[in-house]
Amino acid sequence: MKRILTTLFLSCCLGGYAVQEADIHIIPKPIQLTQETGAFRLTPQTVISYTKGLQPQASYLQEILSASTGWDLTLQEGTENNDNVIQLSLNPEGNTPESYELSVRNAGVHIEGADAGGVFYGIQTLLQLFPAEVYSSVRQKDIEWEAPAVEVKDAPSHPWRGMMLDVARYFFDKDFVKKYIDMMAMYKMNKLQFHLIDDSGWRLEIKKYPKLTEIGAWAGKDQNRLGGYYTQEDIREIIEYAQVRNVEIIPEIEFPAHMLSAVSAYPWLSCHGEPREVPMQHFISRDLICVGKESSYQFLQDVLDETVSLFPSRYINIGGDEAVYDNWEKCPLCQKVMKENGLKKASELQGYLTNRVLQMMKEKNRTIIGWEEIIQRGKLDGQVVALIWHNEKDTIQAVEKNHLAILTPATHAYLDFPESKTPGEVKAATWMPPISIEKAYSLAAKDYSPSSHVLGVQGCLWSDQFIHGTILQEIVPLNENRSENYAEYLTFPRLLALAEVGWTKEANRSYKDFAQRLTSHYARLDEKGCNYRVPEPTIAKMDETAEGVTFTLTESVEGAPIRYTTDGSYPTIHSPLYTAPVKVDTKNNFRAITVVSNRHYSLPIYFAYDYAEYKQFGEFTAEWKPSIVPDKVTPWKIDATGKISGNGTYEVTFIQTNGANALKLNGIRVMKRDEVLEDIKEVQTVRKQHQVTYRFHVGSFEAGTPFTIETQIQGEGGNNTNGAVFIKKISE
Ligand code: ACM
Ligand code: ZN
C-alpha cells in the first residue's frame, strides 16, 4: 500500500503555477527562502549546463533525474541563456565555503555555489523542492516534475557536520558505506569519521602489516569466521564517491586502547607480548600498545604513513578513548619512559604518545583529532581537535587549552541509543536514557565561547550492539533482521535533526517547525530505500477530566493513517482508523500507531505505569503480573543493563503492588553477560507490606555490556500477584 502523498497544490495562473507555501519543507532549514510565483517544470528537453570544474555535480544531478524521470537529460559545459536549463556555476568571491544561491523560476533554475560543495547543496535543496519520487531509482510514471519558484540564499553555520560510523565492531560492506554517505549528503552533512579499528576488528588494509587484516579483521574460525576489511582500492572508491557528495572521510586509527585486533595480529605490540584473539562479543581490552618499545612507534609511523597517503583529509583521527592503564603500570619498559620524562601517572604516558604522533602528523601537514581523552592526559605540544563525547559542557576544556572541539555528546548524538523505552523498541545501547528526535534536536551547538573553537556537531553510530553481525532482534513489521536495517532504523530520522543542528543557526531553529517539515521527509527516505523508525502519532492535545481523557492526534508521517485501541492492547493495521478525537477512561488504555504500509508501522503511543510512589527504591527495572507467575519454581531473568551504570554497591528491591498471593524468590544471581558477579542464595518471600531487598556489588563495570539479575520465582498458593522490581545505586 503506497501512502497518498500530498502533492503540490497547483493552480494555473498567468504563465506559471502557484504552490502553497506549506509544501516547502527543506531540511536543514535554509537561512533565507522566499517563495515566488510559478514553478519550474522539468521536461525531456531540460538541459543541465555547468561551468568548469562542476562536471561531477552535473553528472550526479543528471543520474538522479534520469533514474526517476526516465529522461536522458543533456549535459552541457558552459553558460546557457536559453529557457528550460538548470545552470550550475561558481562564485567564490566574498562567499563563505559551502554557501549557495538557488533561483527556481518558470524559465529555469540557477544554482551558484561558493565552491563545488555549495553547488552540491544547491542541488540538494532543488531535489527537496521536487516531488519525493525524484529520489526513486526506478522510473516513475505520471508525475508532474515541478519545483515551486523560490529564491534561496543559504550557508552552513558550522563547518563540521559529521557522522561516525563504527565499521569495526560490525563490518558494513562498501556498498552500505556508500549508501550511508549518500544519505548524509542529502542532508548536507559533510564529514564521515570512519571508525576503522577497534578491539573487535581491524578494517583497513595496510600493505606493510598484512596480518592486521589476515588475522585482525576476523573473529571466529575458518568458514564460520565473521568480519571483513576494505582493501586500499575499496577505500579509494569510497573516497571518490564521497568527494562528489562533499563528504570528507576522516580515518580513525584507534590507539592506545581499542586495538586488540592489532595485538591479536602482532602480539609484540602489547606490553606482555602474549597471544590474543579477536573477540566475538563486545569487549574493551586492556592490552594497550606498549609505549616503552620503539617498535610501537615504528608501527604507528608505518600505519599512519599508509593511511595519510590513502586519505586526502587534512584530519587524522587517532581515537584515544577509554584506555585503562594497568599494563603500562606493570611494564618495565613503559615505567622507564615515565621516569625518563618525569611523568607521575601512567595516564600521562598517553599524552606522551599523543605528542609523538602529533610530531609525525605535523611532518605530514595533518591535524590530529581524537576523543576528548586526548586533551586530558597531560600537556600537548600543539593544537588538536577533541570530540567531546561525555558532556557538552566539557567543551570548555578544549577552549581553555586552545584546542578545537566537535560536539558529539552521548546524551544527544549517540544514535546507538534507541529513541524510546516502549516495549518492542529495538534492543540497543542502554547505558544512557533513550534519545528522542526532540532530544537530539535540542543539542546546542553554539554555547561556548569563543564559538570558533567549536567546529560543529557529529552523530555517532556505534555498532557494538550488533557486533559481528549478531542479530539484536527481529524488527517485526519489516520481517527483517539484518544489522544494516538496524543501523538505518537507529540513524533515521535522527540524522536529520543533527544535520539541522549543524547547518542552521540556533536562532533560526525551532523543534516545532522542524517536526512539521519532517513529516514529508519519510516519503523521501522511502524513495531512497532507506529504513527508518516510524514515529508514533503526535499528540496534539490531551484533555484530562474526571470522566476520562480525550486525545487529539495529528499525523507524524504525511499521509499515513493512524490506527488506535482503547483497551491497552497494541493496535494492528486493522484496528479502528483515527478520524476524530478519542475518549478513554484512563490514558494507560490508549494506544495509537502510524501506519506507513502493511509492513512498516510505528510502535504505539504508550504510557508506562507510573511508579513514582516507589521512587526511593531506585529505577523501575521490571514487573511481574499473574500471567508470568508460575506455580512451581521457575527461573526469571531480569534485564538490568542500564540500571547498573558503573562500579558500586546496588540494591535490588521487589515490591508487591497488587494481588492476594505472595511471590517466593530463591535468591539472586547478578550476571555480567555470562560472568557471575554475585550469587546470593537467601530465599525470601515478597508480600504486601513486605518488600524484599538484596544488596550486591559491581567492581568490573564495562559500558555496553549486558547485566542480568537471575532469580527463581514461584507464586505462593496461587498466581494472583503483581509487582515491580527497582534497582538503586547506594554507594560508589
Ligand atoms: C566512546 O564512546 N568510547 C568514544
Ligand atoms: Zn609497555
Side-chain angles (χ1 to χ4, degrees):
M1 179 171 74
K2 189 145 178 137
R3 129 176 62 110
I4 305 152
L5 295 169
T6 317
T7 46
L8 304 176
F9 288 90
L10 301 174
S11 64
C12 231
C13 35
L14 275 180
Y17 300 88
V19 179
Q20 284 195 350
E21 190 133 10
D23 291 308
I24 297 177
H25 284 171
I26 310 297
I27 292 179
K29 190 181 172 77
I31 292 182
Q32 196 186 322
L33 184 148
T34 328
Q35 191 163 2
E36 306 287 341
T37 310
F40 172 72
R41 177 177 286 187
L42 205 64
T43 70
Q45 290 73 40
T46 302
V47 170
I48 301 172
S49 80
Y50 60 94
T51 55
K52 200 162 175 298
L54 295 175
Q55 194 273 335
Q57 287 68 31
S59 295
Y60 165 92
L61 177 60
Q62 184 201 35
E63 263 174 49
I64 289 182
L65 297 178
S66 297
S68 49
T69 64
W71 302 328
D72 206 6
L73 302 185
T74 303
L75 270 190
Q76 201 167 288
E77 183 167 349
T79 5
E80 270 293 336
N81 293 320
N82 297 334
D83 279 1
N84 203 6
V85 172
I86 301 175
Q87 171 78 55
L88 311 181
S89 66
L90 288 172
N91 180 15
E93 211 63 34
N95 289 318
T96 54
E98 302 179 299
S99 64
Y100 69 92
E101 292 189 19
L102 164 68
S103 166
V104 178
R105 295 304 176 104
N106 296 352
V109 174
H110 186 193
I111 295 170
E112 187 178 78
D115 45 32
V119 172
F120 181 81
Y121 292 148
I123 291 173
Q124 294 314 313
T125 302
L126 174 65
L127 290 173
Q128 289 194 22
L129 293 169
F130 280 117
E133 290 85 348
V134 77
Y135 296 102
S136 174
S137 59
V138 290
R139 185 177 175 185
Q140 303 288 304
K141 294 209 179 102
D142 307 323
I143 307 270
E144 300 278 12
W145 297 108
E146 278 158 352
V150 288
E151 292 292 323
V152 179
K153 277 189 187 202
D154 201 7
S157 64
H158 289 88
W160 195 284
R161 305 173 306 278
M163 276 302 301
M164 184 219 67
L165 184 63
D166 176 2
V167 296
R169 270 61 168 275
Y170 177 78
F171 178 66
F172 292 103
D173 67 18
K174 186 173 65 182
D175 290 336
F176 182 83
V177 174
K178 285 186 181 172
K179 183 179 178 191
Y180 209 77
I181 290 167
D182 195 42
M183 296 307 302
M184 287 170 59
M186 181 175 167
Y187 292 103
K188 304 189 175 87
M189 281 191 147
N190 65 350
K191 311 280 179 192
L192 176 71
Q193 178 182 334
F194 211 12
H195 186 74
L196 289 161
I197 282 122
D198 214 300
D199 292 312
S200 319
W202 184 287
R203 309 285 173 222
L204 176 64
E205 180 190 27
I206 298 291
K207 306 257 192 216
K208 198 154 185 179
Y209 296 95
K211 286 187 195 166
L212 287 173
T213 43
E214 283 166 17
I215 294 173
W218 305 99
K221 293 268 177 295
D222 306 324
Q223 70 269 37
N224 293 325
R225 70 181 190 171
L226 291 164
Y229 66 92
Y230 310 103
T231 63
Q232 295 199 352
E233 204 42 52
D234 291 335
I235 295 288
R236 280 188 274 270
E237 191 181 320
I238 291 168
I239 290 170
E240 191 181 333
Y241 182 87
Q243 250 162 5
V244 178
R245 289 160 177 76
N246 199 46
V247 174
E248 182 175 332
I249 313 274
I250 295 98
E252 182 184 359
I253 307 292
E254 264 264 28
F255 57 87
H258 285 289
M259 55 177 292
L260 182 61
S261 51
V263 170
S264 303
Y266 297 104
W268 49 262
L269 286 169
S270 72
C271 290
H272 51 68
E274 287 162 18
R276 289 286 187 262
E277 280 186 4
V278 177
M280 293 290 290
Q281 290 182 319
H282 177 57
F283 176 65
I284 302 179
S285 169
R286 297 184 176 205
D287 293 327
L288 310 189
I289 192 168
C290 178
V291 284
K293 298 181 199 169
E294 268 318 298
S295 54
S296 297
Y297 300 97
Q298 190 59 50
F299 172 82
L300 291 176
Q301 176 83 61
D302 293 338
V303 168
L304 290 169
D305 278 354
E306 285 193 40
T307 306
V308 163
S309 67
L310 259 178
F311 292 87
S313 170
R314 65 176 263 228
Y315 299 103
I316 298 290
N317 189 310
I318 60 166
D321 58 323
E322 297 184 309
V324 179
Y325 305 103
D326 311 7
N327 285 341
W328 286 356
E329 277 158 8
K330 286 185 281 194
C331 170
L333 297 174
C334 287
Q335 289 299 308
K336 187 159 168 272
V337 176
M338 265 182 74
K339 265 206 201 87
E340 283 168 2
N341 291 277
L343 306 178
K344 299 202 172 50
K345 292 183 286 195
S347 60
E348 292 170 54
L349 283 169
Q350 184 170 351
Y352 169 86
L353 173 62
T354 305
N355 275 328
R356 290 206 45 178
V357 174
L358 197 62
Q359 194 50 42
M360 292 177 201
M361 289 300 95
K362 245 186 217 161
E363 283 160 20
K364 303 263 179 199
N365 216 7
R366 301 295 166 109
T367 301
I368 281 183
I369 305 191
W371 300 106
E372 65 194 25
E373 284 93 330
I374 70 164
I375 61 165
Q376 298 166 338
R377 301 291 186 268
K379 189 174 172 337
L380 297 182
D381 302 334
Q383 190 179 58
V384 298
V385 185
L387 289 155
I388 304 301
W389 67 277
H390 272 104
N391 183 339
E392 57 192 289
K393 295 203 168 53
D394 292 342
T395 307
I396 206 72
Q397 296 173 14
V399 173
E400 283 169 1
K401 293 174 185 166
N402 198 32
H403 294 303
L404 301 172
I406 295 162
L407 297 181
T408 181
T411 45
H412 296 69
Y414 272 28
L415 302 186
D416 51 316
F417 291 101
E419 279 191 38
S420 80
K421 280 187 180 173
T422 304
E425 182 60 275
V426 293
K427 203 162 146 276
T430 47
W431 54 275
M432 297 257 298
I435 301 173
S436 64
I437 307 172
E438 186 166 5
K439 179 92 191 266
Y441 193 83
S442 74
L443 176 59
K446 67 147 184 91
D447 267 351
Y448 307 94
S449 83
S451 60
S452 58
H453 281 256
V454 178
L455 295 179
V457 298
Q458 180 168 294
C460 287
L461 186 72
W462 296 101
S463 55
D464 47 87
Q465 299 300 311
F466 39 98
I467 190 163
H468 294 319
T470 50
I471 283 147
L472 275 169
Q473 73 186 58
E474 217 175 343
I475 303 178
V476 177
L478 285 178
N479 191 25
E480 260 291 0
N481 51 22
R482 295 198 55 217
S483 296
E484 284 73 6
N485 273 321
Y486 282 100
E488 291 178 357
Y489 179 99
L490 290 169
T491 304
F492 297 96
R494 289 179 295 182
L495 176 140
L496 281 67
L498 292 175
E500 184 152 307
V501 172
W503 180 276
T504 309
K505 279 199 171 59
E506 189 144 358
N508 204 14
R509 292 202 279 117
S510 115
Y511 180 69
K512 201 163 165 241
D513 172 57
F514 171 79
Q516 173 64 29
R517 278 176 285 129
L518 182 58
T519 59
S520 70
H521 280 259
Y522 296 99
R524 294 175 185 269
L525 298 178
D526 280 333
E527 295 295 346
K528 280 283 217 176
C530 181
N531 187 28
Y532 55 87
R533 181 185 186 279
V534 178
E536 298 86 342
T538 303
I539 300 173
K541 213 156 80 171
M542 195 166 84
D543 285 328
E544 287 187 77
T545 63
E547 291 91 61
V549 188
T550 304
F551 285 92
T552 307
L553 305 180
T554 55
E555 285 172 0
S556 296
V557 174
E558 195 175 87
I562 296 169
R563 305 259 169 191
Y564 70 95
T565 60
T566 52
D567 61 358
S569 63
Y570 269 37
T572 70
I573 55 170
H574 306 296
S575 298
L577 182 69
Y578 175 90
T579 51
V582 175
K583 191 169 170 189
V584 280
D585 49 358
T586 78
K587 70 177 191 219
N588 292 75
N589 278 341
F590 184 68
R591 304 269 188 265
I593 60 171
T594 302
V595 180
V596 170
S597 76
N598 288 351
R599 296 181 71 235
H600 205 193
Y601 44 87
S602 75
L603 290 171
I605 288 176
Y606 179 84
F607 297 95
Y609 189 88
D610 185 2
Y611 287 111
E613 64 176 297
Y614 302 108
K615 221 168 53 209
Q616 77 262 35
F617 299 104
E619 262 197 276
F620 167 74
T621 304
E623 59 193 353
W624 72 85
K625 50 191 173 190
S627 61
I628 73 151
V629 176
D631 55 10
K632 59 178 193 299
V633 179
T634 304
W636 185 31
K637 285 188 184 182
I638 298 165
D639 183 6
T641 319
K643 310 300 185 299
I644 292 171
S645 54
N647 287 332
T649 303
Y650 291 82
E651 281 181 353
V652 55
T653 301
F654 296 77
I655 298 173
Q656 185 171 352
T657 53
N658 216 341
N661 300 118
L663 186 79
K664 204 165 135 195
L665 300 169
N666 268 357
I668 58 159
R669 283 212 303 182
V670 182
M671 307 291 294
K672 182 178 128 188
R673 201 185 298 277
D674 305 325
E675 183 190 337
V676 182
L677 297 186
E678 193 128 16
D679 191 358
I680 303 172
K681 295 215 157 58
E682 189 187 338
V683 176
Q684 295 249 34
T685 304
V686 190
R687 305 174 188 285
K688 277 268 180 77
Q689 273 94 39
H690 178 75
Q691 76 246 12
V692 167
T693 298
Y694 294 98
R695 187 173 284 193
F696 60 91
H697 189 76
V698 174
S700 56
F701 178 79
E702 278 172 51
T705 309
F707 288 88
T708 323
I709 294 187
E710 296 182 359
T711 179
Q712 292 182 316
I713 54 172
Q714 183 183 17
E716 210 174 66
N719 68 350
N720 181 13
T721 170
N722 290 71
V725 184
F726 301 86
I727 294 182
K728 181 179 178 179
K729 189 173 190 178
I730 57 167
S731 65
E732 291 296 319

